[in-house]
Amino acid sequence: MIQALLLAVWAGLCTWDQYGPHLGFRKPLLASVGVGIILGNLPLAIMIGATMELMWLGVNNIGAYVPPDVISGTIVGASLGIMSGTDTASAIALAVAIGVPTATLVQQLNILVMTTNITFLHGADKAAESGEFNSVDKYFWAAACCFFLTRAVPVFIATGIGSYVIEDIMAFLQNQVPWVLSGFSTAGGVMPAVGLAMLLTMMMKKDMWIFLVLGFVFAAYMSLPTVGVALLAAAAAGVYDLIIEGQKKAPAIAADTVTPAGDNDDEEYDL
């Protein structure tokens, strides 16, 4: 239960990072590091976090869209995957199977809290208009606590109470239906490929696939190390950005250089 409490606090702190300093702890790979430290299995936690990072690499808030909560999904999935005590592949598959629905559930809680936090926003506006600036901080921290609890409470319930349920389920699977764990192991081996495929679908756009092919040629046929490919990619991105910016500025420069007819008639020549 102490570990569950620490995991809940860690989930809340990662949430504050999402709305505050943006240190990166809201990402699955770094969120799983805290799980590994708390549960004492850092290598497995990082492997689970890396798998979920591939799955959720392109998940971001765009406009009014609220994505699945990768923080709670990663922490709950990695925690229960480690607590299951199975081999690495099975733990990864179990973590993904548990983490995805958890992230979707907390997504709904997040939408609810964002809606109710409007009351704190209006209260802070009224306090600012009346000059009660100390009250603005109170409204701010009240809203922050709501975000903290939306992650901390589900994580505590899942890891504190759910861990016992997971132990019973894993004992049943090992003794009665061992083929299920074999399926988990196979699925765990496929998960990184699925995550990479999801990433590739984002990269295979109209103007991006050329760079993907170049990177593949450099790595597969020219045996260029990863750092070398990354440096070439950075240089190519800089050149690409310069070209695009140049194309945007060209019409504006052309418009500025065009002189309307008749403007030269009144010019004075400095002899």
Side-chain angles (χ1 to χ4, degrees), residues 114-144:
M114 285 183 174
T115 304
T116 56
N117 273 1
I118 295 296
T119 57
F120 296 118
L121 177 61
H122 292 323
D125 288 339
K126 293 179 180 179
E129 290 174 356
S130 60
E132 299 175 0
F133 299 109
N134 291 330
S135 299
V136 176
D137 290 337
K138 295 179 182 179
Y139 287 113
F140 169 81
W141 284 108

Side-chain angles (χ1 to χ4, degrees), residues 163-175:
S163 61
Y164 299 105
V165 178
I166 290 296
E167 290 176 0
D168 295 337
I169 293 174
M170 295 308 299
F172 172 78
L173 293 177
Q174 291 173 349
N175 299 325

Side-chain angles (χ1 to χ4, degrees), residues 26-263:
R26 63 192 180 94
K27 292 295 184 180
L29 188 56
L30 290 181
S32 63
V33 171
V35 176
I37 294 174
I38 293 172
L39 298 181
N41 194 341
L42 189 57
L44 180 57
I46 291 177
M47 284 188 281
I48 294 174
T51 303
M52 291 186 167
E53 186 77 51
L54 284 174
M55 290 177 51
W56 287 326
L57 196 60
V59 173
N60 288 293
N61 296 72
I62 301 176
Y65 171 68
V66 179
D69 186 65
V70 298
I71 296 173
S72 57
T74 299
I75 293 177
V76 170
S79 301
L80 297 184
I82 294 173
M83 292 176 182
S84 65
T86 58
D87 60 280
T88 301
S90 298
I92 292 175
L94 180 63
V96 173
I98 295 174
V100 172
T102 302
T104 305
L105 172 63
V106 179
Q107 175 191 25
Q108 307 305 317
L109 294 176
N110 195 20
I111 294 174
L112 177 62
V113 168
M114 285 183 174
T115 304
T116 56
N117 273 1
I118 295 296
T119 57
F120 296 118
L121 177 61
H122 292 323
D125 288 339
K126 293 179 180 179
E129 290 174 356
S130 60
E132 299 175 0
F133 299 109
N134 291 330
S135 299
V136 176
D137 290 337
K138 295 179 182 179
Y139 287 113
F140 169 81
W141 284 108
C145 288
C146 291
F147 280 119
F148 186 97
L149 292 174
T150 54
R151 274 69 169 191
V153 173
V155 168
F156 179 78
I157 293 174
T159 57
I161 301 174
S163 61
Y164 299 105
V165 178
I166 290 296
E167 290 176 0
D168 295 337
I169 293 174
M170 295 308 299
F172 172 78
L173 293 177
Q174 291 173 349
N175 299 325
Q176 304 297 328
V177 282
W179 55 268
V180 174
L181 294 180
S182 300
F184 276 165
S185 299
T186 304
V190 175
M191 286 300 173
V194 174
L196 186 59
M198 294 171 64
L199 177 61
L200 288 175
T201 57
M202 298 173 55
M203 297 173 63
M204 295 295 290
K205 293 183 179 179
K206 178 181 176 182
D207 300 326
M208 296 292 107
W209 67 270
I210 303 173
F211 301 105
L212 180 63
V213 172
L214 285 175
F216 178 77
V217 171
F218 286 138
Y221 294 98
M222 302 181 67
S223 300
L224 197 65
T226 305
V227 176
V229 175
L231 292 175
L232 285 175
V239 173
Y240 181 82
D241 184 66
L242 289 175
I243 294 173
I244 295 299
E245 290 298 324
Q247 291 177 350
K248 291 180 179 179
K249 292 179 180 179
I253 295 175
D256 293 338
T257 56
V258 173
T259 304
D263 285 357

